[in-house]
Amino acid sequence: MAARRGRECLGASRIQLPIVEIREKMHRRRKAREDVPSPVLLNAIAINVEEMCALIDVFEHAHARIVGLSDADETVVAKATGSSLIPLLYARAGMAVGKGIDSIPLLVDEAGLLDAAVINLESYEGNEAVLCSGYALLDSLEIRKESMRPTCSEHGILRFSDESERTPSGSPGPFLPGNEERAQ
């Protein structure tokens, strides 16, 4: 009688499937989720803060030259000059410095933006010193492509997955007021 009431509560509009069909559908959905490839860790080239600053100088100079001499759309200019990468580089550098790590990840595609920026600087008569800096950085990055390392994302910021956090004082944790005995 309770089962009959349950069927009446469901109403006639509800489709009732046999248990076997429900299990098969669940199995197919689960199998479809398993077939989706897991996220692949991207490999990146390690750069230091000085190289990052040189990279940003090239991107900013290329952006300024193209904006000054071209009537291209801002998004096109940002892609052509690599200037859209600048906020990401600052975030990565901030995380690295905050954790006491010396290297900042630069993806191979992002190194390609440097190549595009240098080519555009040649076309738009960029500063010779910035061009030389860009070429030197390109040569250095090309050599280091052989020793790329895996990355991961932490709080949405790319970092190397094989580096652990180091504190400047060598203590096991950050120095906080009231934690004087840890710093000694």
Side-chain angles (χ1 to χ4, degrees):
M1 188 147 161
R4 191 168 147 212
R5 271 190 255 160
R7 287 184 194 149
E8 290 171 3
C9 290
L10 290 175
S13 66
R14 180 126 184 170
I15 299 173
Q16 295 181 358
L17 298 173
I19 297 292
V20 175
E21 286 183 46
I22 293 172
R23 286 184 184 155
E24 286 177 12
K25 283 186 176 190
M26 289 173 60
H27 177 71
R28 279 184 288 205
R29 286 183 184 156
R30 191 176 312 121
K31 184 69 177 153
R33 282 194 307 261
E34 290 172 0
D35 291 341
V36 175
S38 61
V40 177
L41 291 177
L42 299 173
N43 288 326
I45 303 165
I47 61 173
N48 60 34
V49 174
E50 291 82 19
E51 291 169 322
M52 186 202 75
C53 291
L55 188 64
I56 289 173
D57 285 345
V58 172
F59 288 158
E60 287 178 339
H61 183 62
H63 188 271
R65 292 297 297 166
I66 292 176
V67 165
L69 298 173
S70 171
D71 59 348
D73 181 67
E74 180 63 32
T75 57
V76 172
V77 171
K79 288 180 183 177
T81 62
S83 62
S84 59
L85 183 60
I86 294 172
L88 297 174
L89 289 172
Y90 278 123
R92 292 175 197 169
M95 178 176 278
V97 169
K99 291 182 174 270
I101 298 170
D102 300 327
S103 54
I104 302 160
L106 181 71
L107 299 173
V108 175
D109 292 346
E110 296 168 345
L113 291 173
L114 174 63
D115 193 29
V118 168
I119 289 170
N120 283 318
L121 275 175
E122 281 181 353
S123 300
Y124 286 92
E125 300 171 1
N127 182 302
E128 210 170 295
V130 176
L131 270 168
C132 288
S133 174
Y135 278 121
L137 195 52
L138 280 171
D139 290 342
S140 176
L141 294 176
E142 187 63 36
I143 292 167
R144 285 190 269 164
K145 279 185 183 178
E146 301 299 320
S147 59
M148 292 191 301
R149 298 174 18 214
T151 61
C152 64
S153 177
E154 183 176 329
H155 306 293
I157 301 171
L158 196 66
R159 70 170 184 85
F160 287 111
S161 57
D162 60 353
E163 286 189 330
S164 60
E165 183 174 342
R166 294 184 301 228
T167 55
S169 65
S171 65
F175 177 76
L176 301 172
N179 236 1
E180 290 81 12
E181 68 276 357
R182 269 186 124 168
Q184 295 176 352

